[in-house]
């Protein structure tokens, strides 16, 4: 069994798996160097919850926090994202080649527009249903069952 472990890559994808963390990264992508309170402002969660998300992003190496006086600001770091993109690009290349071969195969083949052999007609199912009903006898002459504990109607 092959054991492939790259903890940096694992932490990166784990950090990116949460929509709140992805939104935090997107905000930092729009404007780098936001303070934690500015970063947390549009989210409907508490500041401690945002701090936990920022801890995960920091541990993954996706952001760096810098303290200036009483203000903590965050900025993006590129290296873990570059590693993740390189990993994804290898698989994108693999699948792209597979899809290109499939497209070439489909474009090369000539596909008939009409089936070459006629489809046999299906037997008439309605006629069989009617015949079985007529063999069953009339419902008028049959006695209906009654639930336990009830007297039959006269």
């Amino acid at each position: 069994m092959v054991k492939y472990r790259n903890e940096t890559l694992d932490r990166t994808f784990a950090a990116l798996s949460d929509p709140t963390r992805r939104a935090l990264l997107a905000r930092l992508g729009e404007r780098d160097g936001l303070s934690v309170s500015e970063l947390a402002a549009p989210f409907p969660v508490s500041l401690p919850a945002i701090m936990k998300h920022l801890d995960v992003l920091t541990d993954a190496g996706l952001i760096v926090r810098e303290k200036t006086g009483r203000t903590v600001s965050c900025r993006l770091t590129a290296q873990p994202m570059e590693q993740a993109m390189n990993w994804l690009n290898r698989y994108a290349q693999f699948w792209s080649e597979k899809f290109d071969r499939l497209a070439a195969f489909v474009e090369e083949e000539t596909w008939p527009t009409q089936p070459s052999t006629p489809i046999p007609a299906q037997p008439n199912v309605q006629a069989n249903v009617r015949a079985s009903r007529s063999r069953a006898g009339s419902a008028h002459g049959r006695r209906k069952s009654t639930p336990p504990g009830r007297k039959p109607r006269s």
Side-chain angles (χ1 to χ4, degrees), residues 31-86:
R31 188 171 151 220
D32 207 25
L34 289 172
S35 70
V36 172
S37 57
E38 290 173 325
L39 198 53
F43 295 97
V45 294
S46 66
L47 189 58
I50 293 294
M51 293 299 290
K52 288 180 182 181
H53 284 297
L54 293 175
D55 288 341
V56 172
L57 293 170
T58 302
D59 291 344
L62 294 168
I63 65 168
V64 173
R65 290 189 268 192
E66 297 169 341
K67 188 170 184 177
T68 308
R70 295 175 66 181
T71 305
V72 177
S73 61
C74 300
R75 62 182 175 80
L76 291 174
T77 56
Q79 186 183 11
M81 286 297 261
E82 287 174 7
Q83 290 174 344
M85 286 303 299
N86 290 338

Side-chain angles (χ1 to χ4, degrees), residues 65-147:
R65 290 189 268 192
E66 297 169 341
K67 188 170 184 177
T68 308
R70 295 175 66 181
T71 305
V72 177
S73 61
C74 300
R75 62 182 175 80
L76 291 174
T77 56
Q79 186 183 11
M81 286 297 261
E82 287 174 7
Q83 290 174 344
M85 286 303 299
N86 290 338
W87 187 86
L88 288 170
N89 284 334
R90 277 186 289 177
Y91 289 96
Q93 182 180 0
F94 168 78
W95 283 110
S96 180
E97 290 171 5
K98 298 289 185 196
F99 286 132
D100 289 345
R101 287 188 8 218
L102 178 63
F105 172 75
V106 170
E107 289 171 1
E108 285 176 10
E109 290 295 316
T110 56
W111 302 96
T113 56
Q114 299 271 336
S116 58
T117 57
I119 299 171
Q122 297 292 325
N124 191 350
V125 177
Q126 291 288 37
N128 292 342
V129 171
R130 279 189 220 116
S132 64
R133 283 186 189 151
S134 64
R135 283 187 219 123
S138 74
H140 184 67
R142 280 187 266 149
R143 187 172 168 207
K144 295 183 181 178
S145 63
T146 57

